[in-house]
């Protein structure tokens, strides 16, 4: 409330207790600053819970869940660790789950400009999601590109106009530039880069949230694994076969990219994995349409269970120290498993004529839209 200049110290702190979003987004929190902290916290939490209920309700309707599926998916939401973690930390991540659901619904209903606005908003708040926006450009979805560009350009211009160029140089250096070189190896970051850094530094790095330098060989190993996943996604989508695809294929590709972002981003906090709920619901609906083949369905159930815990506070039993870097890699392992399932499903759409799970949910083959 002290004016634009008062944000500078928080910007400089970066992930270590600072403000990590584009400076203009600080105005989103201004109404809460006018309230007593206790009341503001409760209101913010209530808004977060409301957004999650809306995300569940809209996604269940979008994927045409029956009553049993709605009940099970509600329990999944209520017990999904990364989501609980996001609520506990007061992050914006769980709000973005609703934004992503609304973007998918807009896409399915041929409101591509609206979908672009929503994807642009998601990338503005969490920059790794810019990959979803870039994919719209690759697929020549010009209305979506226009929506994304409108949000990002307008926000950038407004932010620089209000807060000045110097603050944005500091913001980039503290939040984006740092992580292009160094890596957070703490237990609650689960990207490929963070997991490899944990194996390198061992248990001592689990509670260190400062970016750490890593050897060149480790960096190249991480980049190679990320490139491998990206190539698998390209192989599954095969955009060179038909650059202008229908809604079925594009929706499937968005699910694939959401999981890819979580794996290959330089920094993927535990709460980011809240977004897995949307691809999980998509996968269940697709497998239902295929008649629930036993192996993929059982694998999906196992992966959901693997991704459901989240670290809150835990004192490791004696003797487990050497295994902790591996134990705290579970979200990456689960995400790569879900990524593999999505690749397999995307190939079914590309090579065997299965449609994506909306609007059909009968297990019969259909014509792609």
């Amino acid at each position: 409330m002290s004016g634009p200049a008062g944000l500078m110290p928080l910007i400089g702190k970066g992930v270590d207790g600072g403000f990590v979003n584009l400076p203009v987004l600080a105005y989103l929190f201004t109404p809460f600053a006018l309230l007593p902290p206790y009341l503001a916290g409760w209101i913010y939490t209530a808004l977060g819970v409301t957004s999650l209920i809306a995300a569940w309700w809209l996604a269940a309707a979008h994927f045409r869940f029956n009553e049993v599926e709605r009940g099970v998916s509600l329990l999944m939401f209520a017990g999904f660790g990364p989501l609980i973690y996001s609520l506990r930390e007061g992050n914006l991540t769980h709000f973005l789950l609703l934004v992503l659901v609304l973007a998918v619904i807009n896409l399915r209903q041929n409101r591509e400009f609206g979908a672009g606005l929503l994807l642009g908003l998601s990338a503005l708040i969490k920059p790794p999601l810019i990959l979803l926006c870039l994919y719209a450009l690759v697929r020549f979805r010009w209305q979506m590109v226009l929506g994304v560009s409108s949000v990002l350009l307008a926000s950038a211009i407004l932010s620089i106009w209000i807060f000045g160029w110097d603050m944005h140089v500091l913001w980039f250096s503290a939040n984006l530039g740092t992580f292009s070189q160094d890596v957070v190896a703490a237990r609650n970051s689960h990207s490929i880069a963070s997991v490899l850094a944990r194996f390198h530094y061992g248990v001592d790095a689990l509670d260190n949230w400062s970016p750490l330098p890593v050897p060149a060989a480790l960096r190249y190993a991480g980049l190679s694994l990320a490139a491998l996943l990206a190539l698998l996604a390209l192989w599954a989508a095969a955009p060179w076969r038909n650059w202008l695809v229908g809604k079925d294929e594009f929706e499937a590709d968005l699910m694939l990219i959401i999981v890819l972002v979580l794996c290959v981003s330089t920094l993927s906090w535990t709460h980011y994995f809240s977004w897995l709920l949307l691809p999980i619901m998509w996968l269940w609906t697709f497998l239902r349409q295929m008649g629930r083949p036993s192996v993929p369905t059982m694998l999906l159930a196992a992966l959901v269970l693997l991704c459901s815990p989240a670290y809150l506070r835990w004192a490791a039993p004696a003797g487990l120290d050497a295994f902790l870097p591996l134990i705290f890699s579970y979200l990456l392992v689960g995400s790569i498993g879900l990524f593999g399932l999505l690749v397999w499903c995307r190939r079914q759409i590309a090579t065997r004529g299965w449609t994506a799970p909306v609007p059909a949910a009968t297990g019969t083959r259909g014509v792609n839209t």
Side-chain angles (χ1 to χ4, degrees):
M1 299 298 293
S2 58
L7 191 63
M8 184 74 80
L10 289 175
I11 292 290
K13 289 183 177 181
V15 298
D16 189 18
F19 188 80
V20 299
N21 293 109
L22 191 71
V24 73
L25 293 179
Y27 283 110
L28 292 175
F29 300 95
T30 300
F32 298 100
L34 299 173
L35 301 172
Y38 183 79
L39 179 59
W42 275 109
I43 292 175
Y44 184 82
T45 301
L47 290 173
V49 172
T50 302
S51 75
L52 292 178
I53 294 172
W56 163 74
W57 181 269
L58 291 171
H62 176 69
F63 293 121
R64 300 192 174 185
F65 278 12
N66 59 35
E67 290 184 1
V68 173
E69 290 170 329
R70 284 175 179 266
V72 172
S73 62
L74 180 59
L75 288 175
M76 180 177 67
F77 266 64
F80 201 66
L83 209 57
I84 297 170
Y85 186 90
S86 184
L87 280 168
R88 175 183 177 272
E89 295 296 315
N91 209 278
L92 285 171
T93 301
H94 51 282
F95 289 95
L96 289 188
L97 181 60
L98 175 59
V99 173
L100 292 173
V101 169
L102 289 171
V104 170
I105 292 173
N106 273 264
L107 172 67
R108 178 60 65 174
Q109 296 178 350
N110 294 316
R111 297 196 293 263
E112 294 203 357
F113 180 74
L117 291 175
L118 291 163
L119 290 180
L121 176 62
S122 68
L124 182 66
I125 296 174
K126 299 296 180 186
L129 292 174
I130 192 69
L131 193 58
L132 293 170
C133 307
L134 294 176
Y135 190 70
L137 179 62
V138 169
R139 287 297 195 181
F140 304 128
R141 299 270 180 168
W142 299 120
Q143 290 187 46
M144 291 184 69
V145 171
L146 180 60
V148 168
S149 302
S150 299
V151 171
L152 296 183
L153 285 175
S155 300
I157 291 171
L158 184 62
S159 189
I160 293 172
W161 178 55
I162 295 174
F163 291 92
W165 181 256
D166 290 344
M167 187 176 294
H168 288 80
V169 171
L170 177 63
W171 169 75
F172 183 88
S173 174
N175 298 289
L176 300 181
T178 298
F179 300 110
S180 65
Q181 298 295 326
D182 299 333
V183 179
V184 172
R187 68 184 75 204
N188 58 338
S189 180
H190 300 271
S191 65
I192 290 173
S194 292
V195 167
L196 291 178
R198 269 201 293 277
F199 284 127
H200 175 70
Y201 282 102
V203 68
D204 292 337
L206 292 179
D207 294 313
N208 185 353
W209 283 270
S210 299
L212 301 172
V214 294
L218 198 68
R219 182 180 303 280
Y220 292 137
L223 290 173
S224 299
L225 289 173
L228 176 61
L229 292 182
L231 288 173
L232 282 172
L234 282 174
W235 171 74
W240 52 86
R241 291 184 178 180
N242 184 7
W243 293 100
L244 298 172
V245 295
K247 291 177 286 187
D248 288 341
E249 295 91 339
F250 194 78
E251 183 175 292
D253 293 344
L254 291 182
M255 302 301 135
L256 195 59
I257 293 171
I258 288 171
V259 183
L260 179 65
V261 164
L262 295 173
C263 296
V264 306
S265 175
T266 55
L267 188 63
S268 291
W269 298 116
T270 299
H271 50 81
Y272 285 14
F273 291 81
S274 303
W275 305 330
L276 287 177
L277 287 167
L278 182 57
I280 286 170
M281 296 175 79
W282 186 96
L283 278 167
W284 169 254
T285 313
F286 188 85
L287 294 176
R288 179 189 63 191
Q289 180 176 313
M290 294 185 70
R292 298 192 189 96
S294 57
V295 173
T297 303
M298 291 175 64
L299 180 58
L300 175 60
L303 291 170
V304 170
L305 290 175
L306 177 60
C307 293
S308 291
Y311 163 75
L312 295 178
R313 286 188 175 93
W314 179 53
L320 277 184
D321 283 1
F323 300 97
L324 290 181
L326 177 62
I327 291 172
F328 284 108
S329 304
Y330 69 96
L331 276 175
L332 177 62
V333 173
S335 297
I336 290 175
L338 290 170
F339 179 83
L341 261 182
L342 285 163
V343 166
W344 180 77
C345 291
R346 183 62 178 88
R347 292 300 294 174
Q348 304 307 303
I349 295 173
T351 62
R352 299 192 180 185
W354 287 97
T355 62
V358 178
T362 62
T364 58
R365 298 173 188 254
V367 178
N368 290 344
T369 57

